[in-house]
Amino acid sequence: MLVYQSVLVVSVVQVVMCRADVSLWPRPSPSWTPVAGRVLREALTGPLSGHQVMLMVDDGVQRSLSLDLLLTGLTSPTVLLHTTTHNTDNHFTTQQLPTAQDVLLVVVGTGSPWLLWSPPGWLSPRVVLVLVAAQTCSARKHFQSPLLQNTPSVALLCLNHKPQTPEYSTYSVMTHLPLSANPEPVSLGTWHPNTFMTLEHIFPDQFQDFGGTALRATVSIFDKPAVFQRDDGEVDGFSTRILAAMAYWLNFTYTYNIPEVAVWGEYLENGTYTGIIGDVQRGESHLAINYFALTYQRSQDFDYSVSYFREGFGLILRDPPPLPHWQSILYPYTGVVWAAVCGVVILTTVAYYFVSFRGIRLSFIISFLIVFQSFLSQNVNQVPRVWVSRGLLGLWLLATWVLRVSYTSNLMAFLTVPTFQPPLTTLVQLADSEFRLCMVNYGEFVPEALATSSHPILARLGAKMDLVPSAEHLPFMGQEGCMELVIAGTHAHVDAYSFVLLQYSDYDADSQVYPLKEQLYVGSQVFFFTKRTPWKYKFDIGMRRLVEAGLVLYWYTEIMQEETHNPKVRESRLPVLSLSHLQGPFLLLAVGGGLATIALLAERLLHPNTTSP
Ligand SMILES: *[C@@H]1O[C@H](CO)[C@@H](O)[C@H](O)[C@H]1NC(C)=O
Ligand SMILES: *[C@@H]1O[C@H](CO)[C@@H](O)[C@H](O)[C@H]1NC(C)=O
């Protein structure tokens, strides 16, 4: 039993056990105690039934009241936290602590119960109901305690003591609107199980109106399209538009703290963060609206909203150099088609050669020339007499006509549009390629995550990562370092997908680069709030509505279109057909002319006396 008194006991309530425990202090109890016990039971069997309830009885109550009476007949399974010491964090590992307790029911007496004023770190219920088992109820003071300030829904049950007839004492339900103009406790009426049948009755939305509260956010304005500054100084972005919509809906104002040097923030060994998210952790800023992806570590140290966007890190590569122009005469057909065409020419030659045996016998060379000349749009000057040869040649002429048309039209296309080696599309291809990776060192988790990844492809990419310092005095904050390497064709630039695309557009280099189709670490973008922000759930509701209505995507698309170059500018960059594009055909003409000249000379030398017919 002594153990029970010195440490916290977590156990499923066995009323019997409580009795044994409580019987250590047999004390006379005030005559209204049965009322408190009844209200407690009614709450547990009424609105709280079906919820995971954690019951906590303050030491003060145990000394002045008979817990025995208070808990008589309590049958619903509840986790009881029973303690005589504050030092709960030291006694329990997380495994031993009750999990998923969404409702905390606290029975307090007089004084300042430690649970309300210094709640242990692991305790973060969604709902707290405080039953004051004392004649005086300092509601305003209780509502100011850290536990109640940090919980989304709180209510107090205060005794209306009737000195003459204490057994007819009643309880009233008190709540407060912490952010409204008047944060005084408000009574919701006298407790009766039929009036307060559900949680919603006891806990009306306490954050319907933020009453013009001023929220602060430290932002980086170098975060297009999420947050950026327009030329007229206005801060815009699809994240800030979400915040503006929330401010309108919830009636709050917001100010931006825009530091000269805004880093996202790293996680330090001692559990603190630097940068924008560090400000949120310390409570200097209420929320972080920049492009922040949800990571496990951040999810442990912050409250976070629902996701409003999904995106990963893009990899920007230089367009592969165009293939040499003179090769363009070969592009219309792929290798296989070229091989097939050669095969068909040979096959037809052989067939024509054998078919010609029926009439005037032709040499193999002549057969070949007849077959091949139609291929080059040359006239057939003698129609064969034999019908089989005639039919074969007719079919062949038709086939070569189709081939010629397809070749010529493809050639025209290939002459005008520059041809490239196929771009990379997957991370595997990138890992196999010569490209190294480049990223600006502003505290993003990517370089470290890649370097320590157990995934072979990611680890190989991590080994190729080069970091360049961020440079606040430069127009692109140090992104220039990576951009130059990308334009030089040695590196792939890693950064938030939309952001880095827009950077190249601003850098006027978007026509020279392309993003890898596959993205790295696709994740959920969220707003981060200081841990235990009680009104965070209102942002969840509002942001989910904005996402589902399509507004977030609409704002994103609008900003992306506005900020990338006008498509008309791109059109004017289309190449003009020049002599250099026709290198291939001219080369072929020269080769053909040269061969013809050699043939003519050879003929003249070998058969000097022959005259043409
Ligand atoms: C917003 O809050 C202010 C300040 O408390 C209040 O005067 C105003 O009525 C509220 N607006 C709305 C629409 O509730
Ligand atoms: C954590 O470490 C950083 C840097 O080492 C230091 O600046 C900061 O004060 C430390 N914070 C705490 C709470 O110890």
Side-chain angles (χ1 to χ4, degrees), residues 181 209 211-212 251:
D209 189 333
N251 191 18

Side-chain angles (χ1 to χ4, degrees), residues 56 58 81 104 106 112-120 122-123 147:
M56 178 102 211
D58 192 55
L81 288 182
L104 175 65
V106 195
S112 310
W114 66 268
L115 185 75
L116 263 47
W117 289 89
S118 47
W122 48 263
L123 190 68
L147 180 68

Side-chain angles (χ1 to χ4, degrees), residues 268-272:
L268 300 177
E269 293 282 306
N270 60 14
T272 60

Side-chain angles (χ1 to χ4, degrees), residues 482-532:
C482 283
M483 289 168 159
E484 280 160 15
L485 291 172
V486 169
I487 302 295
T490 57
H491 283 68
H493 190 169
V494 187
D495 216 314
Y497 184 82
S498 311
F499 167 78
V500 74
L501 274 183
L502 290 182
Q503 292 285 298
Y504 278 87
S505 184
D506 283 353
Y507 196 63
D508 220 15
D510 49 344
S511 59
Q512 301 174 44
V513 296
Y514 70 97
L516 198 75
K517 205 163 188 177
E518 203 172 340
Q519 296 179 15
L520 257 181
Y521 297 118
V522 176
S524 300
Q525 266 59 61
V526 298
F527 285 1
F528 280 106
F529 302 84
T530 314
K531 191 95 183 153
R532 308 228 174 132

Side-chain angles (χ1 to χ4, degrees), residues 377-416:
S377 312
Q378 303 263 313
N379 287 339
V380 180
N381 34 25
Q382 255 185 346
V383 180
R385 297 233 181 85
V386 185
W387 67 269
V388 197
S389 305
R390 209 181 268 194
L392 184 67
L393 201 61
L395 276 178
W396 175 241
L397 286 180
L398 200 67
T400 54
W401 180 72
V402 172
L403 282 173
R404 271 198 327 262
V405 169
S406 66
Y407 177 84
T408 327
S409 19
N410 273 346
L411 182 65
M412 267 186 236
F414 278 105
L415 287 178
T416 41

